[in-house]
Amino acid sequence: MNIETKTAETYVAKTKTFAELRDGIVSGSVKAADLAAEYYERIEQVNPRLNVYLSLTKERAAEQAAKVDALAAKGDPLPPLAGIPVGIKDVLVMKGAPATAGSRILKGYRPPYDATVVSKLEAAGAVLLGKLNCDEFAMGSSNENSAYGPVRNPVDTDRVPGGSSGGSAAAVAANMAVATLGTDTGGSIRQPASFCGVVGVLPTYGRVSRYGLIAFASSLDRIGPFAGNVRDAATMLGVIEGLRIGVPVEYFGEGLDPEVRERIESGINSLQAAGCTVKPVSLPHTRYAIPVYYLVATAEASANLARFDGVRYGYRSPSSDTLSAMYDHSRDEGFGAEVKRRILLGTYALSAGYYDDYYLKAQQVRRLLAEEFIRAFAEVDAIVTPTAPTPAFKLGEKTGDPLAMYLADIYTVTASLAGICGVTVPCGATKAGLPVGMQVLAARLNEGTAFRVARAVEAAQK
Ligand code: GLN
């Protein structure tokens, strides 16, 4: 990897993407330690003019890089930010490293602990290079309020980089880090990112822990990433956010194949290892899901399939002398056993006198199921479950027993009824080599969250 070293006049350098660096680190052609050293060299060259870094954390970076290189050498799976050089705004604390918040009043302060975002970045393999200049206590829009002098914009060093996270934006623009963290109270990530020509993210308030952030205005302060491209910024956010994963107790009861349970539990452990918070949730109406589903689905099916009467389209039985016999024979000869069973069940559930007891009741319980999910998604971002209670069963194994077949849907029909979204992602295999899927459910319109969780499970498989 060669960092383009520019002349004193040109400080902007194309930032490497995570993907480019990751390939090298995984293959061993790039050593995290060398990469960090190259970045420190670059910093030494351009920092005197740009004033982006207030302090460097060389020892800690070297230790972390050595860990990443050791993992890569063993051929172990590498975490998402393995070896990626990252800079940290000086309002965020790193154990033992100076934290000034750009103010004289904190000069010499070395905090005794790490901010949550710092721990999460390191757990994801990032190599933290040092602390980035900013406006004093994040107050400003130009980075001219730092007690340690202004940051200069790498695009034109006579201009401001924006503020208050000017150092975080300039570091990425000048390739003095591949990505950085900043904070945004009223625009301090977005405005400097805009001035320096990089990507900056304002995460939803509450998505990222503020533990270890030197506060400016607590109800407004947010921590977010800067990167050279949107994908890398999203990856950074995925690492620092605390995705909350719910595990519904009702999905791990009787009927769950022990090998499936074991695979899913190990998938949940890998989510925890990837920085997710895992907690139990309860979905007590789950036990009604199969009857509710088979009432609603068959009722709607019986209405939909009524059109296949031998008159308008489709098969017509040739052997009938009356209209009503023609209906009977066409349907009898044209439909298979399972479809007939469902039409009968559905017609019964919708029939006068039974409608209130069956179809209407089912719709009411369906509503309770949907509300139960809405409540759960107030506490967790995603819910993970086995997708099916068993691995693929043998042909013919359940064909003689419709009820046993319906029970194969026990974990999937709840989301169908509630209208929420989900992804199933491979989560290992049984000893016999049969695939096991993990179901990742998220609230309506939150497919993005389901993808993020599913991606973390997928990454842990490799
Ligand atoms: N520029 C605004 C201010 O000076 C916002 C700063 C920030 O987002 N930290 O308060």
Side-chain angles (χ1 to χ4, degrees):
M1 228 268 332
N2 289 313
I3 299 169
E4 264 177 85
T5 308
K6 299 283 180 165
T7 61
E9 284 71 44
T10 326
Y11 289 97
V12 174
K14 189 161 169 7
T15 321
K16 294 275 175 190
T17 66
F18 290 180
E20 282 174 282
L21 292 172
R22 189 176 168 83
D23 283 351
I25 290 186
V26 171
S27 73
S29 69
V30 174
K31 294 269 174 283
D34 296 341
L35 193 62
E38 282 185 55
Y39 271 83
Y40 279 128
E41 211 173 290
R42 167 83 179 155
I43 290 166
E44 252 146 55
Q45 274 168 6
V46 296
N47 206 50
R49 174 71 179 158
L50 298 180
N51 199 25
V52 160
Y53 279 89
L54 293 179
S55 57
L56 301 176
T57 48
K58 285 189 176 177
E59 231 171 84
R60 186 162 169 168
E63 270 172 39
Q64 170 79 351
K67 271 191 213 161
V68 170
D69 288 333
L71 273 184
K74 271 201 284 177
D76 282 2
L78 293 179
L81 297 185
I84 303 291
V86 168
I88 304 291
K89 185 178 180 179
D90 208 27
V91 294
L92 296 163
V93 303
M94 288 175 68
K95 187 176 178 177
T100 69
S103 180
R104 239 188 314 277
I105 207 152
L106 276 172
K107 200 174 167 116
Y109 171 58
R110 288 176 185 261
Y113 69 107
D114 284 332
T116 300
V117 287
V118 163
S119 319
K120 281 180 179 279
L121 283 174
E122 278 192 339
V127 174
L128 307 183
L129 300 176
K131 308 294 297 295
L132 297 160
N133 202 349
C134 57
D135 279 314
E136 184 173 5
F137 286 103
M139 298 173 185
S141 311
S142 67
N143 219 128
E144 293 167 297
N145 295 342
S146 167
Y148 305 95
V151 172
R152 288 175 182 272
N153 191 322
V155 180
D156 175 346
T157 57
D158 288 335
R159 289 178 191 268
V160 301
S164 64
S165 310
S168 306
V172 173
N175 198 25
M176 300 165 81
V178 179
T180 58
L181 287 186
T183 59
D184 189 312
T185 304
S188 280
I189 290 175
R190 293 159 291 161
Q191 187 252 23
S194 160
F195 280 12
C196 292
V198 300
V199 178
V201 183
L202 172 72
T204 304
Y205 187 83
R207 185 182 285 284
V208 178
S209 165
R210 284 182 293 108
Y211 183 74
L213 162 61
I214 299 170
F216 159 14
S218 305
S219 80
L220 297 166
D221 294 341
R222 307 186 210 174
I223 303 169
F226 289 83
N229 62 82
V230 173
R231 177 182 290 264
D232 291 352
T235 303
M236 279 279 278
L237 178 59
V239 164
I240 60 168
E241 72 182 341
L243 266 185
R244 299 157 307 167
I245 307 289
V247 180
V249 283
E250 292 82 1
Y251 286 61
F252 289 82
E254 212 187 315
L256 176 58
D257 179 283
E259 280 200 84
V260 172
R261 172 196 292 272
E262 198 190 302
R263 289 296 93 224
I264 299 301
E265 281 173 353
S266 121
I268 292 169
N269 287 343
S270 62
L271 285 173
Q272 217 155 5
C276 300
T277 319
V278 175
K279 61 172 181 178
V281 292
S282 180
L283 300 168
H285 289 89
T286 301
R287 65 199 180 100
Y288 303 118
I290 292 276
V292 168
Y293 171 80
Y294 278 97
L295 281 167
V296 172
T298 59
E300 293 182 19
S302 74
N304 280 323
L305 272 58
R307 63 178 62 106
F308 301 107
D309 56 5
V311 176
R312 282 163 291 183
Y313 32 66
Y315 174 78
R316 174 184 296 179
S317 170
S319 58
S320 324
D321 351 320
T322 64
L323 179 63
S324 125
M326 192 278 287
Y327 286 155
D328 285 356
H329 293 151
S330 298
R331 286 167 169 159
D332 188 33
E333 293 157 27
F335 288 133
E338 180 61 27
V339 171
K340 280 183 202 159
R341 181 157 39 240
R342 294 193 187 208
I343 291 170
L344 287 171
L345 207 59
T347 308
Y348 183 79
L350 288 175
S351 59
Y354 292 108
Y355 179 94
D356 287 358
D357 284 350
Y358 293 104
Y359 185 70
L360 186 65
K361 184 65 74 187
Q363 290 288 34
Q364 289 167 336
V365 180
R366 177 186 193 174
R367 179 73 212 165
L368 294 177
L369 266 159
E371 282 170 359
E372 191 165 277
F373 272 113
I374 291 169
R375 274 196 301 277
F377 285 126
E379 306 217 332
V380 295
D381 302 295
I383 289 175
V384 300
T385 77
T387 306
T390 66
F393 39 87
K394 291 232 166 81
L395 280 167
E397 196 177 315
K398 295 186 203 273
T399 44
D401 183 355
L403 206 56
M405 191 73 95
Y406 296 171
L407 285 173
D409 302 341
I410 188 148
Y411 301 143
T412 50
V413 291
T414 48
S416 308
L417 290 163
I420 61 171
C421 60
V423 172
T424 186
V425 60
C427 187
T430 64
K431 286 184 206 79
L434 295 170
V436 172
M438 177 190 272
Q439 175 172 239
V440 182
L441 300 175
R444 286 178 185 230
L445 301 176
N446 273 303
E447 285 82 351
T449 306
F451 281 132
R452 279 211 299 284
V453 175
R455 175 63 198 131
V457 173
E458 182 180 62
Q461 306 300 310
K462 309 266 147 65

